[in-house]
Amino acid sequence: MATQHPDHANIPYWKTNNDAFIGAQEEVEECYRSFQDLHCQEYMWDWEGKYVDEAVVDKLFSTYYKFFKKRRLGRDVFLTFRLPNIWLEKGYRLARAYMGILTFEDLSNDLGFDFPPVFEVILPMTDEAKKLFYLQKTFAQVARLKQQTFGDVRKGFDYLRVIPLIEGIPELTGSFQILMDYLDLHRKEYRHRLDYLRPFIARSDPPLNAGIVPAVIAAKVALSEYYRFGDTAGIPVYPIIGVGGLPFRGGLAPDRIQDFLEEYRGVRTVTLQSAFRYDHPLGQVKKAIALLNKSLPKGKARIYTPAEIKAGAVISDIFTRYYQRTIEPLSGLINNFVELLPQRRERMLHIGLFGYSRGIGGKRLPRAIGFTGTLYSLGVPPELIGTGRGLREIKDKGLLPDLKLFYRNLEKDLRYAGYYLNKENLRFLSQRSPAWAQVQRDVDCIEKHFGIELGPEKVEHYLHRNLVSSIYLLYREGKDNSRQILEAAKLRRSMG
C-alpha cells in the first residue's frame, strides 16, 4: 500500500519541476505511478490532517483511462481512503468523502467498470468498536439520502467496509476486545458475520509516546491478537502494518526487506511511505516491492500465550518509564527544531479544528516524521532513548529471554540507528540538560550490553556525522542550516 506520508528527502522520480514538495493536485499522478511503475497493489488516499484532491477518481479515469480500463480500480488495484477521525478533529470533510465515494461508484458504473472504485476506508486512532459501526451507519444514511434526493433509478452500494487503525499501545494490546465488540455490533445490524477483516497496526506513531521497544512489543501482541480474533470468530483476517523506513518508525526500507519480513511475520499488507519509494534507487525499489508482493502472503504470525503477553507488558513498562522521563523535558527543543525541517506535503495546521498532535503528559510532540527527523538531524537517533537503561534493568530482572520473543532485530536496529549517532553533539547537549545526559547513559549501556561501539562505519555515515555537527552548531548560533538538514536526510534516505 503506497501512502502519502511526507518522509522523503529527494525529488520523486516522476516529477519534472525539480521540486521535492508534492502538492495535493500532484497526488493523482503519484497514485497512478504507484500502480503503473512500481506495481503497488493499493494506494492510501489520506484525508487525515492533510488536504486532498476530492475528485481523485474522476481524474484517474479521465487522465489514465486506458490503464484503468485494463486494470480495474476496485478489482485489480485499490484506492483506500483514510478518513478523518471526527472524534478528534472536526468532521467537516467526512460528508464530502462519503459523497465522493458514492459518486465515484456512479462514474465507474457509467463507464462499464462494474466495481466501486472505493469500498473500504480506514478509521485512524480506533479505540472503540462503536466508532467503526458509526461510519458504516452514517455512510448508509448518506447513500439513501443521495438516492432519494437525486432520484437514482439504480440502487448503488450502501455498505462501506471499515478498517480499524489501532494506534495507542493500550489499544493495540487490547485489540481483541475491540474487534469482538465490532463483530457483535455488525452481526446485530446486518444479520450476518463479516466475511473478512483487515485490522491495521500503527507502528510509526506509538514509539513517540513510549519508545521503540514498547512499540514493537505492542505491534507483535496486536498481530497475535488479530489472529486470535480471527480464529475465535471464524473470520479471515489480513493484518496491515503502518511503518516508515528508519527503525524507530518500523524499519521497512528497500535494503532491509528480509529483516522486516522476519520481524513482522503474518502481516499481509505494509505501507510503503514516500521515503521508501523516492529515497532509494528506482530499480531497487521495484525489486523490493516485487519481493514484498511475493512474500507477505506466506508469513505465519506467532500467537503469544497470556503469560508471554504479561511478560511483554512488564518489559514495555520498564522501557516506557525511562523513555518518557527523558523525552518530556526535551519536548521544547524538539518542537522548536522541527519547524526547520522542509515540508513535503500539504499538511493542515493543528489549530484546534483540523488534525491533532501527539504528546507525553502535558507536553505536545510533533508528528512521527518530524519528531524522528529532528532527533536524527541533531545526531541522536530516538531508537537509543531509554533503551540502554531499559536493557540494563530487564537483564538484572532476568527478562532478556522474554524480550527476544518479541523483538528479533533489536541489536540490528540499534546498530543501524547507531550509524547516525554523533557522540560529540550528544556531549554538547548533555552539558545543557540532564535529560540528554541520560541519553548518554543509554548509549553506554547499549554498547556494554551488546559489546559494540555505536557510531559511523561507512563513508555516508561519516558524512552524515559531519553534517549534523554543522546542523547543531549553526542551530546554536541561530544561523541557517536548511541545506545541511536536507543533505543529511538524503544520506540516511529518509526525512524522518
Side-chain angles (χ1 to χ4, degrees):
M1 178 194 289
T3 75
Q4 297 170 343
H5 290 81
D7 62 344
H8 62 287
N10 287 283
I11 299 167
Y13 69 90
W14 47 269
K15 291 199 67 176
T16 58
N17 63 358
N18 206 36
D19 185 359
F21 184 86
I22 302 174
Q25 301 299 316
E26 297 174 301
E27 289 172 337
V28 172
E29 179 178 356
E30 179 184 51
C31 176
Y32 163 73
R33 295 284 187 177
S34 297
F35 295 143
Q36 166 66 21
D37 300 348
L38 304 182
H39 302 292
C40 294
Q41 297 169 339
E42 188 171 8
Y43 187 95
M44 181 195 294
W45 202 252
D46 198 353
W47 291 69
E48 185 205 12
K50 66 179 290 295
Y51 295 103
V52 295
D53 188 330
E54 297 178 18
V56 50
V57 172
D58 303 57
K59 292 183 177 180
L60 285 172
F61 285 171
S62 62
T63 308
Y64 309 107
Y65 175 77
K66 288 184 178 179
F67 176 83
F68 289 106
K69 186 177 181 181
K70 183 177 180 181
R71 299 191 66 196
R72 298 294 169 85
L73 193 60
R75 183 192 69 184
D76 305 313
V77 292
F78 302 92
L79 184 68
T80 304
F81 280 10
R82 178 160 72 165
L83 298 179
N85 184 316
I86 61 170
W87 294 271
L88 294 169
E89 62 175 288
K90 293 290 185 178
Y92 305 122
R93 298 177 301 139
L94 184 60
R96 303 209 301 268
Y98 284 170
M99 286 303 296
I101 292 170
L102 291 166
T103 55
F104 296 157
E105 198 259 349
D106 290 337
L107 173 61
S108 180
N109 184 73
D110 288 346
L111 292 172
F113 287 174
D114 300 330
F115 298 92
V118 180
F119 60 86
E120 201 162 36
V121 297
I122 299 163
L123 175 63
M125 301 194 80
T126 298
D127 56 0
E128 293 179 282
K130 65 181 182 181
K131 295 177 181 177
L132 299 167
F133 187 60
Y134 176 86
L135 293 183
Q136 291 187 299
K137 281 190 68 177
T138 53
F139 179 82
Q141 291 167 359
V142 173
R144 288 193 292 270
L145 179 63
K146 170 183 171 291
Q147 186 177 13
Q148 294 165 7
T149 303
F150 296 103
D152 296 345
V153 176
R154 182 185 62 86
K155 184 181 184 297
F157 85 114
D158 60 5
Y159 178 79
L160 187 67
R161 293 185 178 275
V162 183
I163 296 170
L165 170 49
I166 302 177
E167 304 195 30
I169 284 180
E171 290 77 19
L172 284 164
T173 55
S175 56
F176 178 86
Q177 193 59 52
I178 295 174
L179 300 184
M180 288 300 295
D181 291 345
Y182 173 59
L183 179 64
D184 289 342
L185 289 170
H186 188 279
R187 185 184 292 121
K188 289 174 184 176
E189 176 69 17
Y190 296 106
R191 308 297 180 190
H192 65 82
R193 70 177 189 174
L194 295 160
D195 53 354
Y196 73 86
L197 189 64
R198 300 177 70 201
F200 199 147
I201 298 167
R203 173 58 187 81
S204 175
D205 280 330
L208 268 73
N209 292 336
I212 188 171
V213 172
V216 172
I217 292 173
K220 294 296 191 63
V221 171
L223 191 57
S224 172
E225 293 295 88
Y226 291 173
Y227 278 106
R228 185 164 75 91
F229 161 77
D231 290 343
T232 302
I235 295 169
V237 294
Y238 304 99
I240 307 169
I241 192 166
V243 287
L246 296 170
F248 191 73
R249 297 186 51 240
L252 178 58
D255 54 354
R256 301 190 72 207
I257 297 294
Q258 290 296 346
D259 286 342
F260 179 87
L261 290 170
E262 278 296 308
E263 191 69 77
Y264 295 103
R265 290 182 298 179
V267 166
R268 294 293 179 256
T269 300
V270 297
T271 59
L272 303 183
Q273 300 184 2
S274 302
F276 186 106
R277 308 193 309 271
Y278 306 139
D279 287 340
H280 299 265
L282 184 57
Q284 185 183 37
V285 171
K286 291 181 177 181
K287 289 180 181 178
I289 293 172
L291 179 59
L292 286 168
N293 285 337
K294 178 182 177 182
S295 303
L296 286 170
K298 301 176 182 177
K300 184 176 176 60
R302 180 187 180 111
I303 308 302
Y304 293 102
T305 67
E308 290 169 340
I309 291 174
K310 185 176 180 180
V314 172
I315 294 169
S316 183
D317 287 345
I318 291 170
F319 282 92
T320 298
R321 184 175 72 251
Y322 288 116
Y323 175 85
Q324 291 185 346
R325 191 184 297 167
T326 305
I327 281 294
E328 192 165 352
L330 302 181
S331 60
L333 171 60
I334 292 169
N335 284 320
N336 287 332
F337 192 97
V338 74
E339 301 299 327
L340 303 175
L341 301 184
Q343 298 300 301
R344 291 296 185 247
R345 302 268 180 174
E346 293 187 46
R347 284 282 184 186
M348 288 182 169
L349 296 176
H350 294 149
I351 59 173
L353 297 177
F354 304 111
Y356 40 87
S357 57
R358 274 63 172 171
I360 292 177
K363 302 295 179 71
R364 183 181 66 85
L365 291 174
R367 297 293 294 267
I369 294 165
F371 177 90
T372 308
T374 289
L375 288 164
Y376 267 89
S377 297
L378 290 169
V380 187
E383 292 87 345
L384 311 177
I385 298 175
T387 304
R389 287 166 287 160
L391 279 170
R392 184 187 58 192
E393 183 171 336
I394 67 163
K395 181 181 179 181
D396 292 343
K397 293 183 174 179
L399 292 170
L400 281 176
D402 298 292
L403 175 60
K404 291 177 182 177
L405 290 177
F406 291 99
Y407 200 164
R408 293 167 171 263
N409 293 329
L410 176 59
E411 182 179 352
K412 286 184 178 180
D413 285 350
L414 294 177
R415 280 181 180 271
Y416 185 93
Y419 295 151
Y420 301 99
L421 171 65
N422 185 314
K423 291 185 175 180
E424 183 180 50
N425 277 14
L426 182 54
R427 188 170 70 250
F428 288 147
L429 289 163
S430 298
Q431 294 166 1
R432 296 166 64 95
S433 166
W436 289 113
Q438 293 302 308
V439 181
Q440 181 62 64
R441 290 185 63 193
D442 285 317
V443 171
D444 295 340
C445 290
I446 290 168
E447 291 183 330
K448 181 178 179 181
H449 181 85
F450 292 111
I452 60 176
E453 182 175 355
L454 299 176
E457 285 192 2
K458 298 179 180 179
V459 171
E460 58 265 31
H461 305 148
Y462 285 100
L463 292 173
H464 188 277
R465 183 196 64 183
N466 295 343
L467 283 166
V468 298
S469 290
S470 298
I471 288 168
Y472 177 66
L473 293 173
L474 290 168
Y475 176 73
R476 282 181 53 183
E477 296 296 317
K479 296 181 179 179
D480 178 42
N481 56 9
S482 57
R483 181 184 65 81
Q484 290 84 358
I485 288 174
L486 179 57
E487 290 304 313
K490 289 179 178 180
L491 282 171
R492 65 178 177 267
R493 299 186 180 88
S494 178
M495 187 62 64

